[in-house]
Amino acid sequence: MKREKLASQLSADLAVLQRKWHAAVQSGQALPSYEEVMLGSLGRLADNMALLELSVARPGVTRTGRYVQQWLGDERWDIPLDTLSPDCAMALVQVASSALQNKRPYLSTAHFVRDGIVQKYVLLALPTASRWGNTLVGVYVNEDGLRYNLLDAIFSSTDDGIVSLTAIRGSDGRPFDFQIVHLNEGASALLQQSVNALQWSLLSGGRNFLCEPAVMARLLALVDSGGQDSLSIDTDNRNLSLGVTAFGDIVSLTISDITSLKKREESFRLLFDGNPMPMWVFDAATTEFLNVNDAAVQHYGYDRDAFLRMTLREIWPRDEWAAHSLALLQVGDSYQSGGNWRHLKADGTEIQVMTFGRRVVFNDREGFLVAVVDVTERRKAEAKIAHMAHHDGLTNLPNRALYQERLQQALEQARGGGGRVAVLCIDLDLFKNVNDSFGHPMGDRLLRCVADRLRAQIGGNDLVARLGGDEFAVVLASVASPNEASDVAARLIELVSAPYDMDGLEVVIGASIGIALAPGDGDDCDVLMRSADMALYRAKAAGGGCHHFFEKEMDRQAQRRRDMERDLRHAFARGEFDLHYQPLIDLAEDRVSGFEALLRWHHPERGMVSPADFIPIAEDIGLIVGLGEWVLRQACLEAARWPNDVKIAVNLSPVQFRSRNLVQVVISALAQSGLSPRRLELEITESLFLADSEANLATLHQLRSLGVRISMDDFGTGYSSLSYLRSFPFDKIKIDRSFVKDLTERPDCLAIVRAIAGLGRSLNITTLAEGVETVEQLDALRAEGCHEVQGFLFSPARPAAEIAGLLMKFGHAASKAA
Ligand SMILES: Nc1nc2c(ncn2[C@@H]2O[C@H](COP(=O)(O)O[C@H]3[C@@H](O)[C@H](n4cnc5c(=O)[nH]c(N)nc54)O[C@@H]3COP(=O)(O)O)[C@@H](O)[C@H]2O)c(=O)[nH]1
């Protein structure tokens, strides 16, 4: 019967039976009666029915229709289930049990294999109750028409080729050819011919790889010997694997395309053998090396054969045997060594490695494929970087970071044990001179020598560090008393001050040391270091070559200085600065020849702060550059309002020269104010020549070439005032007021003033005496031939608003007006 017809009859039968069952159910009863459902009225359907009784000692099929008898292959009635074929028994029991459990009809399907053919059956179980009180299940069984060949299904489910051959024997009884009796689609694809073309064909007449004489010979040999064989065939860029089994004259072939597998193997081999990273496979149980690549042979230095006779243990340093073995026991299917392991090379050198392993089967042995990264150089570099992070590159002494770490530790220990810690800040005296005179390479050598001497003295828990430049520091982790710290400081000063032999050149420097103690001078690193720094400042101020302990007063001074710095930074924006002007008197003409602009700071709380106090601070914090520019512009603007023959003198700080745009600022101030350059005098001090004098001289020349006049202020107070007169053509020398002050009482001062005035005359430089307070001083200066004077005798510096009055007062006969 056609499948469609079978299917429609099947669904009609199922519908009838279910309707019948439901119609037979009486109200109040769980199951309909057996008699109602099964007896009398089933007609054609009775052929497909089996009656099951499960609730008895030996469950079985009590009645069967004709169709069911064929299905069971058993025509008896009352067949115990355990004597039925298992597939039928299981299908019946499952559907009947489900129906009884649910107390309603239960539909199920089952597949059965008969003569290699798979058939699908539908089973409908109808639970009923017999009048004798037992339950009986009627099971309708019918085929749904779907059948297929099991072997074909299996064969076609694989891409592998399956071919059955039968040997053809000649008259001599020997096999000489084969006929293909069966093949699947996979074989057809691999042999590149259709199933129809191949089936029943002779291999001898074929054109595929099975027909190759070498293959045929192997197949024929196997017919004789029986058993199994396997062949590898490379054809048409494909790698094929042939499995052959002979049963008498029947030869069964399985053909697999292993091209991609081969490629994978090849890539693996390439990855392993040609890998620049050392790799090996070792046996998981014995740790024997099963394979090693060229990189491993080269890197470790064992020759391949020796390597393959070794176990892992032989490349482990003895002290790591236990740790290595334990780690191996704990690895899973893959591992990556967390830390570094050490391995031994053939020449006995140790390397640090990281290993990456994966469990593999190699030549049928369980093992691990391992890749090794030699991190020896990386670790050395890391160690070097770590060292560099904590050490000074020049002297190899600990640096500030390590110093602070150690100081912190010492403080914590002292806190716990009640000890005392001393911090010694060391600054070299005269080191700058060596650097300036002999150059930086010599300076560097000297620093290394100093470091060596300090290192030789400071050891144990104590530490000496270089903090930068010529600054060193010592932490004495435990000192019994301040005296002990003082003794160490004195010893270090003596040590550092001993002469250094630099290639036959004797170099002498000194050292100053500031000492701070904890507890007392500070409880944490920063405070303690600051305290030691303040003490060092005091030692330096005392002339160097000595040590000084921190005192609380230093802290107060430092605080005052910090306050001043803070206030100074805001003073400009708050408009707290002002310029006052002090008249300069020309003695020959007896009139005001100009004014010196002097900066004033009106502090909101402190009142008037002297420039002598705040200008050095403004210089230190770099504020003087902006402030000096403001002074210059302001003074030029003011002077532009004065008569044309009245000059303006403006003080310049050496720091302003460092800014390198001083000339531009002067040009701009002149242009902005319209003041003639001839009316501007710039006052500089000798300190300008102490550093970078070449550049500063060049700037001075540029300024002078603008037409601006240059005065040397505070003349006579520096170390080599006279020599500076040779280096630059000054327009004016201002004789320092310290000489003027005692002019009339001290012959030496008079002699100095006389000498400077004479110098001025012979070099054609105007001389001005500062700080003239008395008529006697004025007379003496006039007698010595000074050209100009300035001082309280005439007027202190006054605000701009009073200039007109001063000019009026001293415009003519100034000396008389004073
Ligand atoms: N770079 C800059 N320096 C400046 C500026 N303004 C001032 N200064 C420098 O500050 C120092 C102190 O100045 P100051 O307190 O203003 O003192 C000046 C005069 O007031 C003082 N003077 C003048 N006559 C007398 C006197 O008869 N007796 C006496 N005891 N003092 C007197 O001398 C100072 C002027 O000195 P000098 O500059 O050397 O001519 C001082 O060094 C100023 O230079 C500035 O804007 N920039």
Side-chain angles (χ1 to χ4, degrees), residues 108-161:
S108 166
T109 57
H111 291 85
F112 300 89
V113 182
R114 297 284 183 267
D115 300 327
I117 302 297
V118 180
Q119 298 174 30
K120 186 182 171 194
Y121 282 83
V122 173
L123 290 88
L124 175 69
L126 304 166
T128 62
S130 85
R131 83 166 79 130
W132 298 284
N134 56 339
T135 49
L136 292 166
V137 184
V139 180
Y140 169 88
V141 180
N142 208 347
E143 195 183 340
D144 91 335
L146 187 69
R147 290 174 173 220
Y148 53 89
N149 187 305
L150 183 61
L151 272 182
D152 281 348
I154 294 170
F155 283 7
S156 59
S157 69
T158 171
D159 288 338
D160 285 347

Short mmCIF file of all heavy atoms in Angstrom, two decimals, residues 108-161:
data_model
loop_
_atom_site.label_atom_id
_atom_site.label_comp_id
_atom_site.label_asym_id
_atom_site.label_seq_id
_atom_site.Cartn_x
_atom_site.Cartn_y
_atom_site.Cartn_z
N SER A 108 2.22 6.37 20.88
CA SER A 108 3.68 6.34 20.87
C SER A 108 4.17 5.78 19.54
O SER A 108 3.38 5.17 18.81
CB SER A 108 4.13 5.49 22.06
OG SER A 108 5.47 5.16 21.94
N THR A 109 5.45 6.04 19.21
CA THR A 109 6.02 5.44 17.99
C THR A 109 7.25 4.64 18.37
O THR A 109 7.88 4.91 19.40
CB THR A 109 6.45 6.53 16.97
OG1 THR A 109 7.37 7.39 17.61
CG2 THR A 109 5.28 7.30 16.43
N ALA A 110 7.60 3.67 17.53
CA ALA A 110 8.79 2.87 17.80
C ALA A 110 9.38 2.41 16.47
O ALA A 110 8.65 2.28 15.48
CB ALA A 110 8.44 1.67 18.67
N HIS A 111 10.71 2.24 16.45
CA HIS A 111 11.37 1.77 15.22
C HIS A 111 11.86 0.34 15.41
O HIS A 111 12.38 0.01 16.48
CB HIS A 111 12.57 2.66 14.90
CG HIS A 111 12.16 4.03 14.46
ND1 HIS A 111 11.89 5.03 15.36
CD2 HIS A 111 11.95 4.56 13.24
CE1 HIS A 111 11.54 6.13 14.71
NE2 HIS A 111 11.55 5.86 13.41
N PHE A 112 11.69 -0.42 14.38
CA PHE A 112 12.11 -1.82 14.44
C PHE A 112 12.93 -2.14 13.22
O PHE A 112 12.69 -1.60 12.14
CB PHE A 112 10.88 -2.74 14.51
CG PHE A 112 10.03 -2.45 15.72
CD1 PHE A 112 9.03 -1.50 15.66
CD2 PHE A 112 10.28 -3.11 16.92
CE1 PHE A 112 8.27 -1.21 16.78
CE2 PHE A 112 9.52 -2.80 18.03
CZ PHE A 112 8.51 -1.86 17.97
N VAL A 113 13.95 -2.97 13.42
CA VAL A 113 14.78 -3.36 12.28
C VAL A 113 14.47 -4.81 11.94
O VAL A 113 14.57 -5.69 12.80
CB VAL A 113 16.28 -3.22 12.62
CG1 VAL A 113 17.13 -3.59 11.41
CG2 VAL A 113 16.59 -1.81 13.07
N ARG A 114 14.04 -4.99 10.71
CA ARG A 114 13.74 -6.36 10.24
C ARG A 114 14.48 -6.57 8.94
O ARG A 114 14.25 -5.81 7.98
CB ARG A 114 12.23 -6.53 9.98
CG ARG A 114 11.37 -6.36 11.23
CD ARG A 114 11.43 -7.60 12.14
NE ARG A 114 10.55 -7.42 13.28
CZ ARG A 114 10.93 -6.93 14.44
NH1 ARG A 114 12.17 -6.54 14.62
NH2 ARG A 114 10.06 -6.82 15.45
N ASP A 115 15.36 -7.59 8.91
CA ASP A 115 16.14 -7.89 7.70
C ASP A 115 16.87 -6.67 7.17
O ASP A 115 16.87 -6.38 5.96
CB ASP A 115 15.21 -8.43 6.59
CG ASP A 115 14.51 -9.70 7.05
OD1 ASP A 115 15.14 -10.46 7.83
OD2 ASP A 115 13.36 -9.89 6.65
N GLY A 116 17.43 -5.93 8.06
CA GLY A 116 18.22 -4.76 7.64
C GLY A 116 17.38 -3.58 7.24
O GLY A 116 17.90 -2.56 6.82
N ILE A 117 16.04 -3.70 7.39
CA ILE A 117 15.18 -2.59 7.02
C ILE A 117 14.61 -1.97 8.30
O ILE A 117 14.10 -2.68 9.17
CB ILE A 117 14.01 -3.06 6.11
CG1 ILE A 117 14.55 -3.73 4.85
CG2 ILE A 117 13.09 -1.89 5.76
CD1 ILE A 117 15.38 -2.84 3.94
N VAL A 118 14.71 -0.66 8.36
CA VAL A 118 14.15 0.03 9.53
C VAL A 118 12.70 0.38 9.22
O VAL A 118 12.41 0.94 8.17
CB VAL A 118 14.95 1.32 9.82
CG1 VAL A 118 14.37 2.03 11.03
CG2 VAL A 118 16.41 1.01 10.04
N GLN A 119 11.76 0.01 10.16
CA GLN A 119 10.33 0.33 9.96
C GLN A 119 9.84 1.12 11.16
O GLN A 119 10.22 0.82 12.30
CB GLN A 119 9.51 -0.97 9.87
CG GLN A 119 9.93 -1.81 8.69
CD GLN A 119 9.20 -3.17 8.69
OE1 GLN A 119 8.08 -3.28 9.16
NE2 GLN A 119 9.86 -4.17 8.17
N LYS A 120 8.97 2.06 10.85
CA LYS A 120 8.43 2.87 11.95
C LYS A 120 7.00 2.40 12.23
O LYS A 120 6.20 2.26 11.30
CB LYS A 120 8.45 4.34 11.55
CG LYS A 120 8.03 5.26 12.67
CD LYS A 120 8.04 6.68 12.18
CE LYS A 120 7.43 7.61 13.20
NZ LYS A 120 7.14 8.91 12.62
N TYR A 121 6.69 2.18 13.52
CA TYR A 121 5.35 1.72 13.92
C TYR A 121 4.72 2.73 14.86
O TYR A 121 5.42 3.41 15.61
CB TYR A 121 5.44 0.37 14.64
CG TYR A 121 5.63 -0.79 13.68
CD1 TYR A 121 6.88 -1.11 13.20
CD2 TYR A 121 4.52 -1.53 13.24
CE1 TYR A 121 7.05 -2.14 12.31
CE2 TYR A 121 4.70 -2.59 12.33
CZ TYR A 121 5.95 -2.89 11.88
OH TYR A 121 6.12 -3.90 10.99
N VAL A 122 3.37 2.78 14.77
CA VAL A 122 2.62 3.63 15.70
C VAL A 122 1.90 2.69 16.66
O VAL A 122 1.31 1.70 16.23
CB VAL A 122 1.62 4.52 14.94
CG1 VAL A 122 0.72 5.26 15.92
CG2 VAL A 122 2.35 5.48 14.05
N LEU A 123 1.93 3.00 17.94
CA LEU A 123 1.24 2.18 18.94
C LEU A 123 0.30 3.06 19.74
O LEU A 123 0.71 4.14 20.20
CB LEU A 123 2.26 1.54 19.91
CG LEU A 123 3.17 0.44 19.33
CD1 LEU A 123 4.41 1.05 18.73
CD2 LEU A 123 3.56 -0.56 20.41
N LEU A 124 -0.96 2.61 19.86
CA LEU A 124 -1.94 3.36 20.67
C LEU A 124 -2.43 2.42 21.75
O LEU A 124 -3.01 1.37 21.47
CB LEU A 124 -3.11 3.85 19.80
CG LEU A 124 -4.23 4.52 20.57
CD1 LEU A 124 -3.78 5.87 21.14
CD2 LEU A 124 -5.46 4.74 19.68
N ALA A 125 -2.19 2.78 23.01
CA ALA A 125 -2.60 1.92 24.12
C ALA A 125 -3.89 2.44 24.71
O ALA A 125 -4.03 3.64 24.97
CB ALA A 125 -1.49 1.90 25.17
N LEU A 126 -4.89 1.51 24.91
CA LEU A 126 -6.20 1.90 25.46
C LEU A 126 -6.37 1.16 26.78
O LEU A 126 -6.61 -0.05 26.80
CB LEU A 126 -7.31 1.51 24.48
CG LEU A 126 -7.16 2.08 23.05
CD1 LEU A 126 -8.10 1.38 22.09
CD2 LEU A 126 -7.43 3.57 23.03
N PRO A 127 -6.24 1.86 27.91
CA PRO A 127 -6.38 1.16 29.20
C PRO A 127 -7.85 0.86 29.50
O PRO A 127 -8.70 1.73 29.30
CB PRO A 127 -5.78 2.18 30.18
CG PRO A 127 -5.96 3.50 29.54
CD PRO A 127 -5.97 3.29 28.07
N THR A 128 -8.15 -0.35 29.97
CA THR A 128 -9.55 -0.70 30.30
C THR A 128 -9.57 -1.50 31.60
O THR A 128 -8.54 -1.99 32.06
CB THR A 128 -10.18 -1.59 29.19
OG1 THR A 128 -9.42 -2.80 29.12
CG2 THR A 128 -10.16 -0.89 27.84
N ALA A 129 -10.81 -1.59 32.16
CA ALA A 129 -10.99 -2.39 33.37
C ALA A 129 -11.92 -3.56 33.03
O ALA A 129 -12.97 -3.34 32.42
CB ALA A 129 -11.58 -1.53 34.47
N SER A 130 -11.50 -4.80 33.37
CA SER A 130 -12.37 -5.95 33.05
C SER A 130 -13.39 -6.13 34.16
O SER A 130 -13.22 -5.59 35.26
CB SER A 130 -11.52 -7.21 32.87
OG SER A 130 -11.29 -7.80 34.12
N ARG A 131 -14.40 -6.85 33.85
CA ARG A 131 -15.47 -7.01 34.86
C ARG A 131 -14.98 -7.80 36.06
O ARG A 131 -15.58 -7.82 37.10
CB ARG A 131 -16.70 -7.63 34.20
CG ARG A 131 -16.71 -9.13 34.06
CD ARG A 131 -18.10 -9.59 33.71
NE ARG A 131 -18.34 -9.36 32.30
CZ ARG A 131 -18.82 -10.31 31.49
NH1 ARG A 131 -19.15 -11.48 31.96
NH2 ARG A 131 -19.02 -10.08 30.21
N TRP A 132 -13.79 -8.49 35.91
CA TRP A 132 -13.24 -9.24 37.06
C TRP A 132 -12.30 -8.37 37.90
O TRP A 132 -11.64 -8.82 38.79
CB TRP A 132 -12.50 -10.48 36.57
CG TRP A 132 -13.44 -11.42 35.83
CD1 TRP A 132 -14.34 -12.22 36.40
CD2 TRP A 132 -13.52 -11.56 34.46
NE1 TRP A 132 -15.05 -12.91 35.45
CE2 TRP A 132 -14.56 -12.52 34.20
CE3 TRP A 132 -12.89 -10.99 33.35
CZ2 TRP A 132 -14.94 -12.91 32.92
CZ3 TRP A 132 -13.28 -11.42 32.10
CH2 TRP A 132 -14.29 -12.36 31.89
N GLY A 133 -12.26 -7.15 37.54
CA GLY A 133 -11.52 -6.21 38.40
C GLY A 133 -10.08 -5.96 37.98
O GLY A 133 -9.43 -5.08 38.50
N ASN A 134 -9.54 -6.73 37.04
CA ASN A 134 -8.15 -6.46 36.63
C ASN A 134 -8.13 -5.47 35.46
O ASN A 134 -9.16 -5.23 34.82
CB ASN A 134 -7.42 -7.74 36.26
CG ASN A 134 -8.16 -8.51 35.19
OD1 ASN A 134 -9.36 -8.30 35.01
ND2 ASN A 134 -7.47 -9.39 34.48
N THR A 135 -6.94 -4.86 35.22
CA THR A 135 -6.82 -3.90 34.12
C THR A 135 -6.20 -4.59 32.93
O THR A 135 -5.24 -5.36 33.06
CB THR A 135 -5.94 -2.70 34.52
OG1 THR A 135 -4.76 -3.20 35.09
CG2 THR A 135 -6.64 -1.76 35.45
N LEU A 136 -6.75 -4.31 31.80
CA LEU A 136 -6.25 -4.87 30.55
C LEU A 136 -6.00 -3.70 29.60
O LEU A 136 -6.76 -2.73 29.58
CB LEU A 136 -7.31 -5.80 29.93
CG LEU A 136 -7.59 -7.09 30.70
CD1 LEU A 136 -8.87 -7.74 30.18
CD2 LEU A 136 -6.42 -8.06 30.53
N VAL A 137 -4.89 -3.80 28.85
CA VAL A 137 -4.58 -2.70 27.93
C VAL A 137 -4.60 -3.23 26.51
O VAL A 137 -3.88 -4.18 26.18
CB VAL A 137 -3.20 -2.08 28.24
CG1 VAL A 137 -2.96 -0.88 27.32
CG2 VAL A 137 -3.07 -1.68 29.68
N GLY A 138 -5.49 -2.64 25.73
CA GLY A 138 -5.51 -2.99 24.31
C GLY A 138 -4.53 -2.09 23.59
O GLY A 138 -4.58 -0.87 23.74
N VAL A 139 -3.60 -2.70 22.83
CA VAL A 139 -2.61 -1.86 22.12
C VAL A 139 -2.79 -2.05 20.61
O VAL A 139 -2.73 -3.17 20.11
CB VAL A 139 -1.17 -2.22 22.52
CG1 VAL A 139 -0.17 -1.33 21.77
CG2 VAL A 139 -0.97 -2.09 24.02
N TYR A 140 -3.08 -0.94 19.94
CA TYR A 140 -3.21 -0.95 18.49
C TYR A 140 -1.82 -0.75 17.92
O TYR A 140 -1.09 0.15 18.33
CB TYR A 140 -4.14 0.20 18.07
CG TYR A 140 -4.16 0.48 16.59
CD1 TYR A 140 -5.03 -0.20 15.72
CD2 TYR A 140 -3.34 1.45 16.05
CE1 TYR A 140 -5.05 0.08 14.37
CE2 TYR A 140 -3.35 1.74 14.70
CZ TYR A 140 -4.21 1.05 13.85
OH TYR A 140 -4.22 1.34 12.51
N VAL A 141 -1.43 -1.63 16.98
CA VAL A 141 -0.09 -1.54 16.40
C VAL A 141 -0.24 -1.45 14.89
O VAL A 141 -0.97 -2.24 14.31
CB VAL A 141 0.74 -2.81 16.73
CG1 VAL A 141 2.14 -2.72 16.13
CG2 VAL A 141 0.81 -3.04 18.23
N ASN A 142 0.40 -0.48 14.29
CA ASN A 142 0.38 -0.40 12.83
C ASN A 142 1.62 0.33 12.32
O ASN A 142 2.19 1.17 13.02
CB ASN A 142 -0.89 0.31 12.35
CG ASN A 142 -1.29 -0.18 10.96
OD1 ASN A 142 -0.50 -0.84 10.28
ND2 ASN A 142 -2.50 0.16 10.54
N GLU A 143 1.98 -0.02 11.10
CA GLU A 143 3.15 0.59 10.48
C GLU A 143 2.74 1.93 9.87
O GLU A 143 1.65 2.06 9.36
CB GLU A 143 3.59 -0.35 9.35
CG GLU A 143 4.96 -0.11 8.83
CD GLU A 143 5.29 -1.05 7.66
OE1 GLU A 143 4.60 -2.10 7.56
OE2 GLU A 143 6.19 -0.73 6.90
N ASP A 144 3.65 2.95 9.95
CA ASP A 144 3.23 4.21 9.33
C ASP A 144 3.77 4.34 7.91
O ASP A 144 3.62 5.38 7.29
CB ASP A 144 3.63 5.42 10.20
CG ASP A 144 4.98 5.96 9.85
OD1 ASP A 144 5.81 5.18 9.32
OD2 ASP A 144 5.23 7.16 10.07
N GLY A 145 4.38 3.27 7.42
CA GLY A 145 4.78 3.24 6.01
C GLY A 145 6.20 3.71 5.76
O GLY A 145 6.71 3.61 4.65
N LEU A 146 6.86 4.24 6.79
CA LEU A 146 8.23 4.75 6.57
C LEU A 146 9.23 3.62 6.78
O LEU A 146 9.30 3.04 7.86
CB LEU A 146 8.50 5.88 7.58
CG LEU A 146 9.81 6.63 7.38
CD1 LEU A 146 9.76 7.44 6.10
CD2 LEU A 146 10.07 7.53 8.56
N ARG A 147 9.98 3.30 5.73
CA ARG A 147 10.99 2.24 5.80
C ARG A 147 12.28 2.73 5.17
O ARG A 147 12.22 3.44 4.17
CB ARG A 147 10.54 1.01 4.99
CG ARG A 147 9.40 0.27 5.58
CD ARG A 147 8.96 -0.82 4.63
NE ARG A 147 7.96 -1.64 5.28
CZ ARG A 147 7.91 -2.95 5.16
NH1 ARG A 147 8.76 -3.59 4.40
NH2 ARG A 147 6.96 -3.63 5.79
N TYR A 148 13.37 2.32 5.72
CA TYR A 148 14.61 2.59 4.99
C TYR A 148 15.65 1.55 5.36
O TYR A 148 15.56 0.90 6.40
CB TYR A 148 15.13 4.02 5.25
CG TYR A 148 15.28 4.39 6.70
CD1 TYR A 148 16.48 4.14 7.36
CD2 TYR A 148 14.24 5.00 7.40
CE1 TYR A 148 16.62 4.49 8.69
CE2 TYR A 148 14.37 5.34 8.72
CZ TYR A 148 15.56 5.10 9.37
OH TYR A 148 15.71 5.42 10.67
N ASN A 149 16.66 1.47 4.43
CA ASN A 149 17.70 0.47 4.58
C ASN A 149 18.74 0.94 5.60
O ASN A 149 19.33 2.02 5.44
CB ASN A 149 18.36 0.25 3.21
CG ASN A 149 19.34 -0.91 3.24
OD1 ASN A 149 20.24 -0.91 4.07
ND2 ASN A 149 19.13 -1.87 2.36
N LEU A 150 18.93 0.14 6.60
CA LEU A 150 19.82 0.56 7.69
C LEU A 150 21.27 0.74 7.22
O LEU A 150 21.93 1.72 7.54
CB LEU A 150 19.78 -0.47 8.82
CG LEU A 150 20.60 -0.13 10.06
CD1 LEU A 150 20.12 1.15 10.70
CD2 LEU A 150 20.55 -1.27 11.07
N LEU A 151 21.74 -0.21 6.42
CA LEU A 151 23.13 -0.13 5.96
C LEU A 151 23.34 1.11 5.10
O LEU A 151 24.33 1.85 5.27
CB LEU A 151 23.48 -1.37 5.14
CG LEU A 151 24.01 -2.53 5.95
CD1 LEU A 151 24.37 -3.69 5.02
CD2 LEU A 151 25.23 -2.12 6.77
N ASP A 152 22.30 1.35 4.21
CA ASP A 152 22.42 2.55 3.37
C ASP A 152 22.48 3.79 4.24
O ASP A 152 23.24 4.73 3.98
CB ASP A 152 21.22 2.66 2.42
CG ASP A 152 21.41 1.73 1.23
OD1 ASP A 152 22.55 1.22 1.09
OD2 ASP A 152 20.44 1.55 0.48
N ALA A 153 21.64 3.77 5.27
CA ALA A 153 21.60 4.95 6.16
C ALA A 153 22.96 5.15 6.81
O ALA A 153 23.46 6.28 6.90
CB ALA A 153 20.52 4.76 7.22
N ILE A 154 23.54 4.03 7.26
CA ILE A 154 24.84 4.16 7.93
C ILE A 154 25.90 4.59 6.93
O ILE A 154 26.67 5.51 7.15
CB ILE A 154 25.23 2.82 8.61
CG1 ILE A 154 24.26 2.52 9.74
CG2 ILE A 154 26.67 2.88 9.12
CD1 ILE A 154 24.40 1.13 10.32
N PHE A 155 25.88 3.92 5.78
CA PHE A 155 26.89 4.24 4.77
C PHE A 155 26.80 5.68 4.31
O PHE A 155 27.80 6.34 4.08
CB PHE A 155 26.73 3.31 3.55
CG PHE A 155 27.28 1.92 3.78
CD1 PHE A 155 27.74 1.54 5.04
CD2 PHE A 155 27.35 1.00 2.74
CE1 PHE A 155 28.25 0.26 5.25
CE2 PHE A 155 27.87 -0.27 2.94
CZ PHE A 155 28.32 -0.65 4.19
N SER A 156 25.56 6.13 4.13
CA SER A 156 25.43 7.48 3.57
C SER A 156 25.64 8.57 4.63
O SER A 156 25.71 9.74 4.32
CB SER A 156 24.08 7.66 2.87
OG SER A 156 23.07 7.44 3.82
N SER A 157 25.70 8.15 5.90
CA SER A 157 25.88 9.16 6.94
C SER A 157 27.36 9.55 7.11
O SER A 157 27.69 10.36 7.93
CB SER A 157 25.33 8.65 8.28
OG SER A 157 26.18 7.61 8.72
N THR A 158 28.24 8.96 6.35
CA THR A 158 29.66 9.28 6.50
C THR A 158 30.24 9.78 5.18
O THR A 158 29.79 9.36 4.10
CB THR A 158 30.46 8.05 6.99
OG1 THR A 158 31.83 8.35 6.93
CG2 THR A 158 30.20 6.81 6.17
N ASP A 159 31.21 10.68 5.29
CA ASP A 159 31.91 11.14 4.08
C ASP A 159 32.97 10.15 3.68
O ASP A 159 33.54 10.24 2.59
CB ASP A 159 32.57 12.50 4.34
CG ASP A 159 31.53 13.59 4.44
OD1 ASP A 159 30.42 13.38 3.92
OD2 ASP A 159 31.83 14.64 5.04
N ASP A 160 33.30 9.24 4.61
CA ASP A 160 34.29 8.23 4.26
C ASP A 160 33.70 7.30 3.20
O ASP A 160 32.49 7.09 3.13
CB ASP A 160 34.64 7.39 5.49
CG ASP A 160 35.55 8.15 6.44
OD1 ASP A 160 36.07 9.21 6.02
OD2 ASP A 160 35.72 7.73 7.59
N GLY A 161 34.58 6.76 2.40
CA GLY A 161 34.10 5.84 1.37
C GLY A 161 34.09 4.41 1.89
O GLY A 161 35.00 4.00 2.61
#
